[in-house]
Amino acid sequence: MDSVFAAVVQAPEDPILGVTVAYNKDPNPIKLNLGVGAYRTEEGKPLVLNVVRKAEQLLVNDRSRVKEYLPILGLAEFNKLSAKLILGDDSPAIQENRVATAQCLSGTGSLRVGAEFLAKHYHQRTIYIPLPSWGNHLKVFTMAGLSVNAYRYYDPATRGLNIQGLLEDLGAAPSGAIVLLHACAHNPTGVDPAPEQWEQIRQLIRSKALLPFFDCAYQGFASGSLDADALAVRMFVADGGECLIAQSYAKNMGLYGERVGALSIVCKGADVASRVESQLKLVIRPMYSNPPIHGASIAATILKNSDMYNEWKIELKAMADRIISMRKQLYDALSARGTAGDWSHIIKQIGMFTFTGLNSDQVAFMTKEYHIYMTSDGRISMAGLSSKTVPHLADAIHAAVTLPVRSKFEIYVASIFGF
Ligand code: PLA
């Protein structure tokens, strides 16, 4: 019998989440998943923060809590606390009621709601994203009806920021264009602008009346400090100009599957912020009506209680420090093996990922021969490594860079014959 869906073609796996699908299928016990950016302990296990367990217990014990719908914009208390977390305790924008915040479905949902709002209410439909960027940015913004352009960001030669290219490309952007900026811990490169470079970027963006849209998925994960990682966003808000901010609690509170995040739109005045907020409701209502209550309640419980907040900061710093220590261990392991090339970028880059510089051939080799799973652009999630698995990864990288480089013709022939 012919299905009415007979013409539906098989879709490819997601380039990041598909790595986990492949990993799960591999029966080899030495397998290692360094694909998705999800924190693991030294034992290679997912981590639920103690402070999250505590907050959940408090919520469970509180019999007055019910399962009613939240308002369209979510938990008001969570929204206020989230804006404070990114903008700072004494932010004038918050005091002047210039910030419209909606609780959304983690970072992705916050980006999508922001994009839908812009597509409907902003005069410029063009958004510039860094090259490279998190793979889902292109899809989220395109699906929302924005047209996506790229600005130069990473320089493979220096494995650092191409500030000249960035300034040139944003300088050539049409006035009013939206600019996606990674607030900290740029994914996938681990390369962030220095404070003085942020200042150059800010001046250019403001002088051309571009609209900054910050993706803040790793606050606290870059430096271990929530305030230090908010520096760029706060610089842009301090000048009185407008911007959007998408926040995620997936990584910094380890609330991955609870889908906790917020979209804040910082406006020039309270009246416009209130109108923007009213329109955000119209964007959200037909998408998912209102957000889930549990995860945002956990985050709000932690953010509003100073003891729990301090405990969170300590646990967050411990996660960030473990990642930094993995960088050092991997770098040392490659140095000890005398692996060809300069690997100092492993310790220079920050955040969850190292952009190794390995090509897709080398990645495929490491997966096939060493059962190490990572995205084909050579990105590895440092949070998935442990002292026990560093030698295995270092062996694999060493072997991969020693591989003879194949010509385009050889790759073509190999793809035909499947080797
Ligand atoms: N923005 C950036 C820059 C991200 O890296 C991610 C997650 C998100 C937003 C969205 O996160 P959230 O919706 O879960 O809050 N990037 C991960 C996972 C960690 C993923 O691709 O979904 C990654 O491995 O790149």
Side-chain angles (χ1 to χ4, degrees), residues 14-17 34-38 105-111 133-137 180-188 215-218 246-251 255-257 259-261 352-353 375 379 381:
D14 180 80
I16 296 175
L17 301 183
L34 303 178
V36 69
L105 303 181
S106 215
T108 311
S110 307
L111 290 165
S133 198
W134 177 49
N136 214 18
H137 279 147
L180 189 281
L181 299 160
H182 294 230
C184 66
H186 182 275
N187 175 8
D215 183 354
C216 186
Y218 298 96
Q247 282 170 275
S248 167
Y249 290 91
K251 271 67 73 170
L255 292 174
Y256 303 89
R259 313 306 293 144
V260 191
M352 215 152 194
F353 304 106
T375 52
R379 183 192 87 166
S381 172

Side-chain angles (χ1 to χ4, degrees), residues 211-232:
L211 179 62
F213 191 162
F214 284 97
D215 183 354
C216 186
Y218 298 96
Q219 190 182 357
F221 251 82
S223 66
S225 153
L226 289 159
D227 286 324
D229 288 356
L231 177 117

